[in-house]
Structure formats: C-alpha cells, structure tokens
Amino acid sequence: WGMAGGAPSRINAITQSTDGFLWIGGVEGLVRFDGVTFEPVAAAKVLRHRLVVSALFAAPDGPVWAGLARGRGVAVWRAGRLVDAAMPNPSREVNDIAGDRDGGVWVARGGREHDTLARYAGGRWREFGAEDGVPPGPLWQVFPTRDGAVWLVLTDRLAMRPPGAARFQPVSLETTGRANLAEDAAGGLWLSDMRGIRRIAGPGG
C-alpha cells in the first residue's frame, strides 16, 4: 500500500485490535485500516490539535491506547471516540505502552531522566519513581510478563519488579542502547540488542 491509496507515511507504531482493525500511528496522526480503506481517526475536542503518535497498545478488552509526542500524553480509543486519558505529568513523548495480566496499562515516558513510568488501572493513574526502585535515566520499554513480573529497559541496563513485589530491582545484565524484550509461548524472556538475541529468563525467574 502506498500514499496514493491513502496509506500514511512516517509510521512509528502499528497494532491490531480485537475487532481485527489495524491501527497505524505516526507523524500524520492515527489511522485505522480494515484491509481495504485507510481511515484517519478524528480526536475529541479536548485533543483537537495535530496528533503525533509514538506508541500504540491494543488492550484485550477492546480499547486502543495511543502514546503521543510533543507533550500530549496518552489518548485512548473507546466506544468509538478518541479521548484524552489525562495522564499526569506528561513527557515529551511516549516511548512504549504495554498491558499487564491484571488489566493495567503501563506507560514509558520518554525525553526525561526521572518520573519515567506510569500505570493506569481502576480508573486512575499511579506514577512510579525512585521510591519504587525505578532507576534514573531514559526508559525505552516497559514489559509485563505473563507470570506477573514487570521488566524495564533503560539505555544500558534492565530492572525488574518480581511478581507480588512492591519495588523494582536492578538486573545484573548489561545491555547496549535501545534493547528490546519479547516473551515466547513457554514464558521464556528474550533480549535483543546490538550483541545479538539471547534468552535471559524463564518462567518464575
């Protein structure tokens, strides 16, 4: 698909919602694609400005979360409308959005050294900082695993909050810049960075 057919350019993120639509976010805003037609998504009045989408997350219960650049915070598509999720203390951009097994939505806030992590659950936001063990420095990825742990990818290191724990703790594994985590079907955790791809953890540890 090309721009002549309505496809957006300068894409930053793509996801698929439970109803089958593809959601494409980038410099030109948010677009919904049904396999035939690209449909720009209009924002509610509170979001009436040019949207630059930097991250997307499709929740299992239907909503689509969009992380925005230019200090706009987070928007959510719910019940046919894209509205402001009213995230406190928004950052220059959102680096990542992910959901945990309890239905919470985690947001990695980019462009800063502190106050980089927030979670939405039960209709309210909670911010995480040094008092919760979140290391200082840019946060690139937040990755909840199926066993209930939450992993953080920083510039050259990882941190992890074990299942049931209150605080994040450092992981004794150095990484290169812009590393990325993924989980396989057996619960194994894999790290990809400039050193290659390797399995770093299994279920429960």
Side-chain angles (χ1 to χ4, degrees):
W1 293 275
M3 293 176 62
S9 64
R10 296 185 289 176
I11 295 168
N12 293 327
I14 185 169
T15 191
Q16 185 173 26
S17 52
T18 53
D19 56 11
F21 284 102
L22 292 181
W23 298 79
I24 305 165
V27 175
E28 298 175 356
L30 183 62
V31 175
R32 186 171 68 170
F33 182 50
D34 62 3
V36 178
T37 303
F38 294 92
E39 175 191 359
V41 175
K45 289 183 179 180
V46 71
L47 284 169
R48 284 207 183 279
H49 45 66
R50 182 183 176 191
L51 297 183
V52 177
V53 179
S54 55
L56 289 171
F57 167 65
D61 58 348
V64 176
W65 294 75
L68 307 177
R70 301 182 176 178
R72 302 294 188 181
V74 176
V76 59
W77 174 270
R78 184 184 285 118
R81 297 177 69 236
L82 184 68
V83 299
D84 188 355
M87 182 181 69
N89 197 19
S91 59
R92 186 177 67 194
E93 65 183 8
V94 170
N95 286 342
D96 192 31
I97 307 178
D100 61 32
R101 66 179 185 179
D102 299 319
V105 176
W106 294 82
V107 178
R109 301 186 287 197
R112 59 172 58 156
E113 297 287 321
H114 303 279
D115 302 318
T116 55
L117 184 63
R119 180 179 185 263
Y120 181 87
R124 64 181 61 184
W125 288 94
R126 182 190 168 190
E127 298 180 275
F128 294 80
E131 67 277 10
D132 304 292
V134 177
L139 177 60
W140 298 105
Q141 184 186 20
V142 53
F143 195 85
T145 50
R146 289 193 296 272
D147 64 2
V150 180
W151 293 72
L152 306 178
V153 177
L154 292 95
T155 299
D156 58 359
R157 53 188 162 159
L158 305 175
M160 186 264 286
R161 190 180 76 171
R167 290 177 54 84
F168 289 87
Q169 58 191 38
V171 175
S172 58
L173 177 67
E174 292 185 1
T175 67
T176 62
R178 300 304 297 268
N180 192 66
L181 294 172
E183 188 176 19
D184 64 29
L189 189 67
W190 294 76
L191 172 72
S192 173
D193 64 7
M194 294 186 68
R195 294 188 178 96
I197 301 173
R198 54 206 185 274
R199 188 174 186 268
I200 62 169

PDB file of all heavy atoms in Angstrom, residues 163-188:
ATOM      1  N   PRO A 163       6.940 -10.743  40.605  1.00  0.00           N
ATOM      2  CA  PRO A 163       5.511 -10.890  40.895  1.00  0.00           C
ATOM      3  C   PRO A 163       5.225 -10.699  42.381  1.00  0.00           C
ATOM      4  O   PRO A 163       5.890 -11.292  43.230  1.00  0.00           O
ATOM      5  CB  PRO A 163       5.214 -12.326  40.448  1.00  0.00           C
ATOM      6  CG  PRO A 163       6.264 -12.636  39.436  1.00  0.00           C
ATOM      7  CD  PRO A 163       7.485 -11.909  39.868  1.00  0.00           C
ATOM      8  N   GLY A 164       4.276  -9.853  42.694  1.00  0.00           N
ATOM      9  CA  GLY A 164       3.881  -9.618  44.079  1.00  0.00           C
ATOM     10  C   GLY A 164       4.742  -8.651  44.848  1.00  0.00           C
ATOM     11  O   GLY A 164       4.427  -8.311  45.991  1.00  0.00           O
ATOM     12  N   ALA A 165       5.860  -8.205  44.261  1.00  0.00           N
ATOM     13  CA  ALA A 165       6.762  -7.292  44.954  1.00  0.00           C
ATOM     14  C   ALA A 165       6.291  -5.849  44.796  1.00  0.00           C
ATOM     15  O   ALA A 165       5.518  -5.523  43.893  1.00  0.00           O
ATOM     16  CB  ALA A 165       8.181  -7.443  44.433  1.00  0.00           C
ATOM     17  N   ALA A 166       6.797  -4.987  45.670  1.00  0.00           N
ATOM     18  CA  ALA A 166       6.421  -3.575  45.638  1.00  0.00           C
ATOM     19  C   ALA A 166       7.432  -2.714  44.919  1.00  0.00           C
ATOM     20  O   ALA A 166       7.103  -1.605  44.485  1.00  0.00           O
ATOM     21  CB  ALA A 166       6.215  -3.052  47.064  1.00  0.00           C
ATOM     22  N   ARG A 167       8.687  -3.188  44.800  1.00  0.00           N
ATOM     23  CA  ARG A 167       9.754  -2.362  44.257  1.00  0.00           C
ATOM     24  C   ARG A 167      10.446  -3.038  43.069  1.00  0.00           C
ATOM     25  O   ARG A 167      10.512  -4.274  42.993  1.00  0.00           O
ATOM     26  CB  ARG A 167      10.815  -2.068  45.329  1.00  0.00           C
ATOM     27  CG  ARG A 167      10.351  -1.130  46.416  1.00  0.00           C
ATOM     28  CD  ARG A 167      11.449  -0.962  47.471  1.00  0.00           C
ATOM     29  NE  ARG A 167      12.723  -0.555  46.900  1.00  0.00           N
ATOM     30  CZ  ARG A 167      13.045   0.720  46.628  1.00  0.00           C
ATOM     31  NH1 ARG A 167      12.181   1.684  46.877  1.00  0.00           N
ATOM     32  NH2 ARG A 167      14.235   1.010  46.125  1.00  0.00           N
ATOM     33  N   PHE A 168      10.940  -2.205  42.183  1.00  0.00           N
ATOM     34  CA  PHE A 168      11.791  -2.691  41.108  1.00  0.00           C
ATOM     35  C   PHE A 168      13.206  -2.900  41.650  1.00  0.00           C
ATOM     36  O   PHE A 168      13.631  -2.227  42.593  1.00  0.00           O
ATOM     37  CB  PHE A 168      11.829  -1.676  39.958  1.00  0.00           C
ATOM     38  CG  PHE A 168      10.542  -1.601  39.185  1.00  0.00           C
ATOM     39  CD1 PHE A 168       9.522  -0.765  39.604  1.00  0.00           C
ATOM     40  CD2 PHE A 168      10.353  -2.366  38.048  1.00  0.00           C
ATOM     41  CE1 PHE A 168       8.325  -0.681  38.896  1.00  0.00           C
ATOM     42  CE2 PHE A 168       9.169  -2.299  37.342  1.00  0.00           C
ATOM     43  CZ  PHE A 168       8.150  -1.450  37.765  1.00  0.00           C
ATOM     44  N   GLN A 169      13.917  -3.836  41.047  1.00  0.00           N
ATOM     45  CA  GLN A 169      15.280  -4.120  41.465  1.00  0.00           C
ATOM     46  C   GLN A 169      16.165  -4.225  40.232  1.00  0.00           C
ATOM     47  O   GLN A 169      15.703  -4.614  39.157  1.00  0.00           O
ATOM     48  CB  GLN A 169      15.335  -5.418  42.264  1.00  0.00           C
ATOM     49  CG  GLN A 169      14.809  -6.638  41.524  1.00  0.00           C
ATOM     50  CD  GLN A 169      14.635  -7.832  42.446  1.00  0.00           C
ATOM     51  OE1 GLN A 169      14.220  -7.708  43.589  1.00  0.00           O
ATOM     52  NE2 GLN A 169      14.966  -9.005  41.930  1.00  0.00           N
ATOM     53  N   PRO A 170      17.438  -3.844  40.344  1.00  0.00           N
ATOM     54  CA  PRO A 170      18.329  -3.921  39.181  1.00  0.00           C
ATOM     55  C   PRO A 170      18.587  -5.365  38.766  1.00  0.00           C
ATOM     56  O   PRO A 170      18.585  -6.278  39.597  1.00  0.00           O
ATOM     57  CB  PRO A 170      19.607  -3.239  39.664  1.00  0.00           C
ATOM     58  CG  PRO A 170      19.551  -3.340  41.155  1.00  0.00           C
ATOM     59  CD  PRO A 170      18.099  -3.301  41.530  1.00  0.00           C
ATOM     60  N   VAL A 171      18.807  -5.561  37.488  1.00  0.00           N
ATOM     61  CA  VAL A 171      19.150  -6.869  36.929  1.00  0.00           C
ATOM     62  C   VAL A 171      20.622  -6.829  36.528  1.00  0.00           C
ATOM     63  O   VAL A 171      21.065  -5.903  35.847  1.00  0.00           O
ATOM     64  CB  VAL A 171      18.271  -7.190  35.708  1.00  0.00           C
ATOM     65  CG1 VAL A 171      18.711  -8.499  35.058  1.00  0.00           C
ATOM     66  CG2 VAL A 171      16.805  -7.262  36.119  1.00  0.00           C
ATOM     67  N   SER A 172      21.377  -7.816  36.966  1.00  0.00           N
ATOM     68  CA  SER A 172      22.824  -7.831  36.729  1.00  0.00           C
ATOM     69  C   SER A 172      23.130  -8.306  35.310  1.00  0.00           C
ATOM     70  O   SER A 172      23.687  -9.383  35.092  1.00  0.00           O
ATOM     71  CB  SER A 172      23.530  -8.727  37.748  1.00  0.00           C
ATOM     72  OG  SER A 172      23.004 -10.042  37.680  1.00  0.00           O
ATOM     73  N   LEU A 173      22.736  -7.496  34.346  1.00  0.00           N
ATOM     74  CA  LEU A 173      22.964  -7.817  32.943  1.00  0.00           C
ATOM     75  C   LEU A 173      23.102  -6.502  32.183  1.00  0.00           C
ATOM     76  O   LEU A 173      22.156  -5.711  32.136  1.00  0.00           O
ATOM     77  CB  LEU A 173      21.806  -8.632  32.377  1.00  0.00           C
ATOM     78  CG  LEU A 173      21.878  -8.981  30.897  1.00  0.00           C
ATOM     79  CD1 LEU A 173      23.022  -9.950  30.629  1.00  0.00           C
ATOM     80  CD2 LEU A 173      20.564  -9.592  30.425  1.00  0.00           C
ATOM     81  N   GLU A 174      24.255  -6.254  31.601  1.00  0.00           N
ATOM     82  CA  GLU A 174      24.450  -5.037  30.820  1.00  0.00           C
ATOM     83  C   GLU A 174      23.859  -5.216  29.426  1.00  0.00           C
ATOM     84  O   GLU A 174      23.878  -6.302  28.857  1.00  0.00           O
ATOM     85  CB  GLU A 174      25.935  -4.700  30.711  1.00  0.00           C
ATOM     86  CG  GLU A 174      26.575  -4.275  32.023  1.00  0.00           C
ATOM     87  CD  GLU A 174      28.018  -3.841  31.831  1.00  0.00           C
ATOM     88  OE1 GLU A 174      28.484  -3.861  30.669  1.00  0.00           O
ATOM     89  OE2 GLU A 174      28.656  -3.483  32.832  1.00  0.00           O
ATOM     90  N   THR A 175      23.307  -4.136  28.906  1.00  0.00           N
ATOM     91  CA  THR A 175      22.761  -4.156  27.559  1.00  0.00           C
ATOM     92  C   THR A 175      23.340  -2.997  26.764  1.00  0.00           C
ATOM     93  O   THR A 175      23.896  -2.056  27.330  1.00  0.00           O
ATOM     94  CB  THR A 175      21.226  -4.034  27.577  1.00  0.00           C
ATOM     95  OG1 THR A 175      20.865  -2.728  28.046  1.00  0.00           O
ATOM     96  CG2 THR A 175      20.607  -5.089  28.478  1.00  0.00           C
ATOM     97  N   THR A 176      23.183  -3.065  25.459  1.00  0.00           N
ATOM     98  CA  THR A 176      23.547  -1.933  24.616  1.00  0.00           C
ATOM     99  C   THR A 176      22.309  -1.058  24.418  1.00  0.00           C
ATOM    100  O   THR A 176      21.197  -1.415  24.814  1.00  0.00           O
ATOM    101  CB  THR A 176      24.063  -2.411  23.256  1.00  0.00           C
ATOM    102  OG1 THR A 176      23.022  -3.134  22.584  1.00  0.00           O
ATOM    103  CG2 THR A 176      25.260  -3.318  23.429  1.00  0.00           C
ATOM    104  N   GLY A 177      22.489   0.080  23.799  1.00  0.00           N
ATOM    105  CA  GLY A 177      21.398   1.020  23.627  1.00  0.00           C
ATOM    106  C   GLY A 177      20.224   0.442  22.850  1.00  0.00           C
ATOM    107  O   GLY A 177      20.389  -0.362  21.934  1.00  0.00           O
ATOM    108  N   ARG A 178      19.023   0.888  23.258  1.00  0.00           N
ATOM    109  CA  ARG A 178      17.765   0.532  22.593  1.00  0.00           C
ATOM    110  C   ARG A 178      17.559  -0.982  22.487  1.00  0.00           C
ATOM    111  O   ARG A 178      17.195  -1.509  21.439  1.00  0.00           O
ATOM    112  CB  ARG A 178      17.682   1.180  21.213  1.00  0.00           C
ATOM    113  CG  ARG A 178      17.750   2.705  21.237  1.00  0.00           C
ATOM    114  CD  ARG A 178      16.679   3.338  22.109  1.00  0.00           C
ATOM    115  NE  ARG A 178      15.351   3.072  21.636  1.00  0.00           N
ATOM    116  CZ  ARG A 178      14.661   3.868  20.798  1.00  0.00           C
ATOM    117  NH1 ARG A 178      15.229   4.979  20.359  1.00  0.00           N
ATOM    118  NH2 ARG A 178      13.456   3.570  20.424  1.00  0.00           N
ATOM    119  N   ALA A 179      17.775  -1.667  23.588  1.00  0.00           N
ATOM    120  CA  ALA A 179      17.494  -3.099  23.639  1.00  0.00           C
ATOM    121  C   ALA A 179      15.978  -3.323  23.626  1.00  0.00           C
ATOM    122  O   ALA A 179      15.190  -2.408  23.854  1.00  0.00           O
ATOM    123  CB  ALA A 179      18.111  -3.714  24.892  1.00  0.00           C
ATOM    124  N   ASN A 180      15.571  -4.556  23.383  1.00  0.00           N
ATOM    125  CA  ASN A 180      14.159  -4.877  23.287  1.00  0.00           C
ATOM    126  C   ASN A 180      13.903  -6.259  23.876  1.00  0.00           C
ATOM    127  O   ASN A 180      14.701  -7.175  23.699  1.00  0.00           O
ATOM    128  CB  ASN A 180      13.709  -4.846  21.820  1.00  0.00           C
ATOM    129  CG  ASN A 180      12.203  -4.887  21.687  1.00  0.00           C
ATOM    130  OD1 ASN A 180      11.509  -3.965  22.087  1.00  0.00           O
ATOM    131  ND2 ASN A 180      11.701  -5.969  21.123  1.00  0.00           N
ATOM    132  N   LEU A 181      12.775  -6.400  24.590  1.00  0.00           N
ATOM    133  CA  LEU A 181      12.396  -7.669  25.201  1.00  0.00           C
ATOM    134  C   LEU A 181      11.205  -8.281  24.483  1.00  0.00           C
ATOM    135  O   LEU A 181      10.343  -7.576  23.952  1.00  0.00           O
ATOM    136  CB  LEU A 181      12.030  -7.462  26.675  1.00  0.00           C
ATOM    137  CG  LEU A 181      13.159  -7.034  27.613  1.00  0.00           C
ATOM    138  CD1 LEU A 181      12.591  -6.693  28.986  1.00  0.00           C
ATOM    139  CD2 LEU A 181      14.215  -8.123  27.721  1.00  0.00           C
ATOM    140  N   ALA A 182      11.141  -9.613  24.490  1.00  0.00           N
ATOM    141  CA  ALA A 182       9.998 -10.356  23.966  1.00  0.00           C
ATOM    142  C   ALA A 182       9.852 -11.636  24.777  1.00  0.00           C
ATOM    143  O   ALA A 182      10.830 -12.157  25.336  1.00  0.00           O
ATOM    144  CB  ALA A 182      10.171 -10.679  22.487  1.00  0.00           C
ATOM    145  N   GLU A 183       8.622 -12.150  24.844  1.00  0.00           N
ATOM    146  CA  GLU A 183       8.332 -13.372  25.609  1.00  0.00           C
ATOM    147  C   GLU A 183       7.829 -14.448  24.666  1.00  0.00           C
ATOM    148  O   GLU A 183       6.970 -14.183  23.809  1.00  0.00           O
ATOM    149  CB  GLU A 183       7.287 -13.071  26.679  1.00  0.00           C
ATOM    150  CG  GLU A 183       7.053 -14.227  27.646  1.00  0.00           C
ATOM    151  CD  GLU A 183       6.072 -13.862  28.754  1.00  0.00           C
ATOM    152  OE1 GLU A 183       5.317 -12.880  28.590  1.00  0.00           O
ATOM    153  OE2 GLU A 183       6.067 -14.548  29.791  1.00  0.00           O
ATOM    154  N   ASP A 184       8.351 -15.679  24.814  1.00  0.00           N
ATOM    155  CA  ASP A 184       7.890 -16.759  23.951  1.00  0.00           C
ATOM    156  C   ASP A 184       6.711 -17.497  24.570  1.00  0.00           C
ATOM    157  O   ASP A 184       6.278 -17.206  25.687  1.00  0.00           O
ATOM    158  CB  ASP A 184       9.050 -17.695  23.594  1.00  0.00           C
ATOM    159  CG  ASP A 184       9.632 -18.422  24.796  1.00  0.00           C
ATOM    160  OD1 ASP A 184       8.901 -18.675  25.774  1.00  0.00           O
ATOM    161  OD2 ASP A 184      10.844 -18.752  24.760  1.00  0.00           O
ATOM    162  N   ALA A 185       6.182 -18.465  23.839  1.00  0.00           N
ATOM    163  CA  ALA A 185       4.976 -19.153  24.275  1.00  0.00           C
ATOM    164  C   ALA A 185       5.171 -19.950  25.557  1.00  0.00           C
ATOM    165  O   ALA A 185       4.207 -20.215  26.275  1.00  0.00           O
ATOM    166  CB  ALA A 185       4.485 -20.078  23.158  1.00  0.00           C
ATOM    167  N   ALA A 186       6.408 -20.324  25.858  1.00  0.00           N
ATOM    168  CA  ALA A 186       6.690 -21.088  27.069  1.00  0.00           C
ATOM    169  C   ALA A 186       6.990 -20.198  28.270  1.00  0.00           C
ATOM    170  O   ALA A 186       7.278 -20.699  29.353  1.00  0.00           O
ATOM    171  CB  ALA A 186       7.862 -22.034  26.816  1.00  0.00           C
ATOM    172  N   GLY A 187       6.967 -18.887  28.093  1.00  0.00           N
ATOM    173  CA  GLY A 187       7.272 -17.971  29.183  1.00  0.00           C
ATOM    174  C   GLY A 187       8.729 -17.584  29.283  1.00  0.00           C
ATOM    175  O   GLY A 187       9.129 -16.943  30.253  1.00  0.00           O
ATOM    176  N   GLY A 188       9.526 -17.952  28.293  1.00  0.00           N
ATOM    177  CA  GLY A 188      10.923 -17.530  28.272  1.00  0.00           C
ATOM    178  C   GLY A 188      11.047 -16.082  27.836  1.00  0.00           C
ATOM    179  O   GLY A 188      10.313 -15.622  26.953  1.00  0.00           O
TER     180      GLY A 188
END
